């Protein structure tokens, strides 16, 4: 009995330490001027938020880049995946697998000064808008 109680306490302690360390590991990524890449309050999905915690690019942000004037982002919305609409009894695991296999991607540009949001764009539209706005070619969409 003592062994079993010790084992349970050890597992609970390990889970608590893992949770604390896991939470301490994550920090929102600053994009300058109060903008961040963070997990939004609507369900722990990676989004871009402004300084007022307003979601500008809804989840799921796949990649992003920024400079002093612009933020660029690639995104795959969960609702772009048919299995994630749960219309036919799909499980969350089936949704996650379908999401990871999907090639769907849309693109966004945020002008920081005016908080103007351009998008969603296809890759071709994004590249054209990127060129028209004269965004620094050094800004790359980095995957988090």
């Amino acid at each position: 009995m003592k062994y079993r109680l010790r084992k349970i306490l050890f597992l609970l302690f390990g889970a608590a330490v893992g949770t604390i360390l896991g939470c301490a590991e994550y920090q929102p990524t600053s994009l300058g001027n109060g903008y961040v890449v963070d997990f939004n309050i609507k369900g722990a999905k990676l989004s871009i938020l402004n300084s007022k915690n307003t979601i500008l690019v809804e989840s799921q942000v796949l990649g992003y880049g920024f400079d002093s004037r612009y933020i660029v982002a690639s995104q795959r919305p969960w609702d772009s995946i048919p299995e994630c609409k749960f219309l036919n009894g799909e499980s969350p695991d089936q949704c996650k697998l379908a999401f990871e296999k999907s090639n769907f991607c849309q693109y966004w540009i945020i002008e920081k000064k005016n908080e103007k949001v351009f998008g969603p764009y296809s890759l071709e539209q994004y590249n054209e808008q990127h060129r028209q706005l004269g965004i620094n070619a050094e800004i790359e969409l980095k995957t988090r």
Side-chain angles (χ1 to χ4, degrees):
M1 185 69 152
K2 287 182 183 181
Y3 173 75
R4 189 174 186 174
L5 183 59
R6 268 193 232 158
K7 186 175 179 181
I8 291 170
L9 289 174
F10 180 76
L11 289 173
L12 288 174
F13 178 75
V17 169
T19 301
I20 291 168
L21 292 177
C23 292
E25 220 174 273
Y26 176 75
Q27 291 293 319
T29 301
S30 173
L31 303 175
N33 297 47
Y35 294 89
V36 295
V37 175
D38 199 359
F39 290 94
N40 72 43
I41 57 175
K42 290 185 177 179
K45 307 292 191 244
L46 201 58
S47 302
I48 295 178
L49 300 97
N50 67 10
S51 61
K52 299 171 202 128
N53 259 355
T54 302
I55 300 168
L56 301 179
V57 177
E58 187 73 60
S59 63
Q60 177 77 9
V61 171
L62 303 173
Y64 60 90
F66 65 98
D67 67 7
S68 61
R69 295 175 50 209
Y70 293 99
I71 299 168
V72 295
S74 61
Q75 173 213 33
R76 180 178 306 135
W78 287 94
D79 65 2
S80 69
I81 311 301
E83 293 85 350
C84 294
K85 293 181 182 177
F86 301 103
L87 299 174
N88 298 314
E90 296 87 356
S91 71
D93 287 339
Q94 289 171 311
C95 168
K96 185 177 178 182
L97 182 61
F99 182 88
E100 290 169 358
K101 287 183 177 181
S102 174
N103 292 328
F104 181 81
C105 193
Q106 56 192 24
Y107 301 87
W108 300 83
I109 298 171
I110 301 169
E111 184 179 4
K112 290 180 179 181
K113 182 178 179 182
N114 301 323
E115 200 172 285
K116 189 167 185 182
V117 179
F118 301 91
Y121 291 134
S122 67
L123 182 58
E124 295 78 23
Q125 293 169 320
Y126 165 79
N127 286 332
E128 178 62 23
Q129 187 68 31
H130 198 280
R131 187 187 60 71
Q132 285 181 7
L133 291 171
I135 296 174
N136 183 348
E138 299 296 312
I139 298 179
E140 295 179 28
L141 292 169
K142 297 179 181 115
T143 305
R144 183 172 167 100

